[in-house]
Amino acid sequence: RFSIFDMDEKPLTVKFFRITFYDLDEGPHHTSKEYIIADGMNDEDVAKDSEVEEKKVHGGEKFMASEIGNGADNPDLSTQLTDEQKERSVVLEFKDIHHFDTTLGSTEGHSPRAFAFALHSALACKTVKLAITTTVTTSTVTTTESGTTAPAPFLLWIQAFALGAAVLAGWP
């Protein structure tokens, strides 16, 4: 269960929420297929040539890997995905939620599996370079620089959930 709280640890309902799960792939010989089961979502987004199979299960949606992958093809930055990495991703969209339930798993096999996710749409967001600008007035100097499309409050969440992904995968 993913739950959202404010800074005072009180339940917070958000009007619109996206989470991207990356690198849904499988081990050798089509074993250890990674999957996600999500309940209560309003919509999902996958790449045009998605390698992720979708079907209804137990009142939710199941998204399952269909292609073999390995650590060498894992994404480094969620805003700079290759076409193959986009094809192995799924974005879940929720509206007016405080929490949602998601199951992460894999089918039988011997290959260790890792799950990665971030709180934005990796299929819609990308890093852009912006010029550094300086504005001078009689009383203030303002300098701005930006290298991301994500709003500042969500960067902390993305970092926190990236750590959560590492912990789920059993990484130190």
Side-chain angles (χ1 to χ4, degrees):
R1 173 169 276 189
F2 285 81
S3 298
I4 305 167
F5 296 89
D6 67 15
M7 297 292 282
D8 296 322
E9 298 184 19
K10 294 180 183 168
L12 179 66
T13 299
V14 293
K15 291 191 179 287
F16 187 77
F17 182 84
R18 288 181 178 163
I19 184 168
T20 302
F21 290 92
Y22 304 98
D23 193 43
L24 293 176
D25 58 15
E26 54 193 56
H29 312 292
H30 300 285
T31 61
S32 304
K33 291 184 177 193
E34 296 172 347
Y35 64 84
I36 297 158
I37 300 173
D39 295 328
M41 63 186 191
N42 294 89
D43 200 5
E44 78 279 338
D45 188 18
V46 294
K48 179 179 150 192
D49 295 322
S50 178
E51 296 177 1
V52 178
E53 298 172 347
E54 177 184 353
K55 70 177 184 177
K56 289 202 177 293
V57 293
H58 310 296
E61 296 286 329
K62 184 174 187 176
F63 301 91
M64 182 176 279
S66 67
E67 296 294 327
I68 296 170
N70 58 53
D73 62 16
N74 291 353
D76 292 322
L77 296 171
S78 63
T79 55
Q80 296 177 0
L81 299 178
T82 65
D83 287 341
E84 180 181 78
Q85 291 167 341
K86 289 177 185 177
E87 292 163 1
R88 294 179 179 183
S89 299
V90 61
V91 180
L92 306 180
E93 297 180 359
F94 299 88
K95 293 181 181 174
D96 299 315
I97 63 158
H98 158 62
H99 63 82
F100 62 94
D101 295 319
T102 302
T103 301
L104 309 177
S106 70
T107 61
E108 189 174 328
H110 299 289
S111 298
R113 309 313 304 161
F115 291 90
F117 51 91
L119 302 182
H120 65 92
S121 173
L123 302 180
C125 295
K126 61 182 179 179
T127 299
V128 294
K129 293 205 178 231
L130 300 175
I132 297 174
T133 60
T134 302
T135 305
V136 179
T137 64
T138 56
S139 60
T140 62
V141 175
T142 306
T143 302
T144 59
E145 179 177 2
S146 177
T148 182
T149 57
F154 288 105
L155 292 177
L156 179 59
W157 282 97
I158 292 167
Q159 290 171 352
F161 274 92
L163 176 59
V167 170
L168 266 176
W171 297 340

